[in-house]
Amino acid sequence: MTKNKSALITGITGQDGAYLAQLLLGKGYQVHGFLPRRSTDTSWRLRELGILDDVHMIEGDLSDLSSLIRAVEGSRADEVYNLGAQSFVGTSWQQPLLTADVDGVGALRVLEAVRIVNREARFYQASTSEMFGLIQAERQDESTPFYPRSPYGVAKLMGHWATVNYRESYGMHASSGILFNHESPLRGIEFVTRKVAHAVASIKLGLQKELRLGNIDAKRDWGFAGDYVEAMWLMLQQAGADDYVVATGKTVSVRDMCELAFAHVGLKYQDYVVQDEKFMRPAEVDVLLGNPAKAKAKLGWAPRTTFEQLIAMMVDADLRRLSSR
Ligand code: NAP
Ligand code: GDD
């Protein structure tokens, strides 16, 4: 009988961690989650997907190498997915050193843990389109130069290059997924799509009067997180490790996203959206637009969910949640 594969996921309680855990459980993996100690319960996403009891939790923190070594050993992981991060760009200006430590040096610590314990284990690094920042090409792909615009982007660039370096130095199967923005009903409330979806539902139900936003001219290449975790898994199933851009190839402004979300419940965004300096960033990434041709050609990956379906799904989920309270 063949042994079921074992996976270790850092950031398992986050949006992507929850969807990835669900995907891997469905494929028969034993799934281990790397769980930082928090004073409150952070497992709502795993509970909402109905998989909380199916994953094995190992306590630890990305700032603690010894806990990572214990986790890689204890899980006997064949595949390690490093999704854990301080992932909110805005916060990275308030906590730049923590962001550098968790997102940059943290990725290096995971690579070291894998190298020390079992360098045959395959490794995935959650890299980001935020590394393109001030874009150097109209459509960004794997060969576009990076120009990060936030402490978060700078930290993630370290994680990306550490991954490339461990692949080249030690022959490790270490891949970096350069993922563009991906959203879902499980998105954290601080990110703009979920903030808008939640506000639309609240306004529709008479629980909120206005929505305060920052730069609504910013444009993003937005996809559905459930589609994107499949690309992560596919990267680790290839004979060789590599780097891949994962995106939809379309870009939409925050303004047009608002229009769509409000229209979904029969409202006009102009009647509710107020611009507020408080949500502006010291340096903005004005536009992101990915070219996922390599992921399509080599992984056979393509997004399945349209932007319209994604926004409708998010607004409907928040309407359901708020109505059942
Ligand atoms: P998320 O919802 O913010 O989840 C982040 C996860 O990291 C949470 O489980 C969090 O745990 C954990 N974490 C934070 N600090 C940690 C620490 N010191 N030690 C261990 N775990 C820690 O993020 P996401 O949207 O799922 O994104 C997953 C990864 O992909 C992140 O690395 C993100 O930077 C990257 N990424 C995301 C996108 C996107 O659009 N979603 C695009 C490109 C790249 P707590 O909740 O307990 O803090
Ligand atoms: N969060 C937020 N809140 N963003 C706003 C607001 C607001 O009130 N108003 C305008 N925006 C603009 C931001 O300035 C940014 O240009 C855009 O909306 C998207 O912001 P976020 O949803 O916070 O995402 P992000 O693009 O900064 O970062 C996300 O995507 C990255 C990949 O490109 C995060 O998931 C990162 O972890 C990820 O790496």
Side-chain angles (χ1 to χ4, degrees), residues 3 5-9 30 32 71-81 114 117-118 120-122:
K3 166 186 162 293
K5 276 194 191 171
S6 172
L8 174 66
I9 305 176
Q30 226 185 62
H32 301 263
V72 178
E73 266 172 2
S75 62
R76 296 171 168 265
D78 302 292
E79 297 173 10
V80 176
Y81 295 85
V114 173
V117 175
N118 171 21
E120 295 305 313
R122 297 185 171 194

Side-chain angles (χ1 to χ4, degrees), residues 11-17 34 36 38 42 45 60-63 82-87 102-103 126-129 152 156 179-183 187-188 191:
I12 194 162
T13 55
Q15 170 190 258
D16 293 6
F34 185 70
R38 300 286 190 246
T42 54
R45 295 181 173 97
D61 197 288
L62 283 163
S63 57
N82 183 36
L83 310 186
Q86 186 305 92
S87 76
V102 173
D103 299 12
S127 294
T128 164
S129 50
Y152 168 80
K156 280 286 184 176
L179 270 52
F180 283 61
N181 299 50
H182 44 278
E183 320 293 312
R187 191 56 145 151
F191 299 94

Side-chain angles (χ1 to χ4, degrees), residues 15 85-90 103 126-131 152 156 179-183 187 189-196 211-222 254 257 275-276 278-281 283-288:
Q15 170 190 258
Q86 186 305 92
S87 76
F88 188 51
V89 173
D103 299 12
S127 294
T128 164
S129 50
E130 185 72 15
M131 300 187 307
Y152 168 80
K156 280 286 184 176
L179 270 52
F180 283 61
N181 299 50
H182 44 278
E183 320 293 312
R187 191 56 145 151
I189 195 91
E190 66 274 41
F191 299 94
V192 76
T193 53
R194 177 77 202 292
K195 182 174 171 181
V196 170
L211 167 61
R212 304 188 84 82
L213 292 176
N215 174 19
I216 63 172
D217 294 318
K219 295 172 100 177
R220 290 292 183 274
D221 181 328
W222 273 301
V254 173
M257 182 267 290
Q275 282 209 276
D276 187 336
K278 194 169 89 187
F279 298 107
M280 301 288 189
R281 293 173 178 179
E284 178 63 290
V285 172
D286 294 319
V287 56
L288 289 172

Side-chain angles (χ1 to χ4, degrees), residues 25-37:
L25 287 167
K27 292 183 183 298
Y29 281 62
Q30 226 185 62
V31 176
H32 301 263
F34 185 70
L35 190 71
R37 192 209 163 258

Side-chain angles (χ1 to χ4, degrees), residues 63 65 67 71 99 105-106 132 165 192 213 215 237 272:
S63 57
L65 176 62
S67 65
T99 305
V105 185
F132 294 120
N165 182 246
V192 76
L213 292 176
N215 174 19
Q237 311 317 305
Y272 304 95

Side-chain angles (χ1 to χ4, degrees), residues 194-321:
R194 177 77 202 292
K195 182 174 171 181
V196 170
H198 186 265
V200 166
S202 302
I203 289 168
K204 183 68 182 172
L205 296 173
L207 304 170
Q208 189 173 325
K209 287 200 163 49
E210 64 175 24
L211 167 61
R212 304 188 84 82
L213 292 176
N215 174 19
I216 63 172
D217 294 318
K219 295 172 100 177
R220 290 292 183 274
D221 181 328
W222 273 301
F224 171 51
D227 294 344
Y228 284 38
V229 297
E230 289 182 18
M232 299 177 188
W233 176 76
L234 283 168
M235 285 179 217
L236 298 208
Q237 311 317 305
Q238 305 307 303
D242 208 339
D243 308 320
Y244 297 90
V245 158
V246 177
T248 68
K250 294 186 186 131
T251 191
V252 178
S253 67
V254 173
R255 183 191 303 278
D256 290 349
M257 182 267 290
C258 287
E259 182 165 13
L260 193 64
F262 278 91
H264 185 63
V265 297
L267 300 176
K268 280 186 169 167
Y269 83 95
Q270 296 92 331
D271 296 336
Y272 304 95
V273 171
V274 178
Q275 282 209 276
D276 187 336
E277 280 294 316
K278 194 169 89 187
F279 298 107
M280 301 288 189
R281 293 173 178 179
E284 178 63 290
V285 172
D286 294 319
V287 56
L288 289 172
L289 171 60
N291 174 2
K294 179 175 171 184
K296 189 167 186 201
K298 298 215 165 153
L299 305 177
W301 180 87
R304 281 195 287 251
T305 311
T306 66
F307 186 63
E308 290 72 17
Q309 289 168 334
L310 171 63
I311 295 300
M313 187 198 315
M314 292 179 71
V315 173
D316 289 342
D318 275 319
L319 277 170
R320 256 195 319 276
R321 286 180 182 126

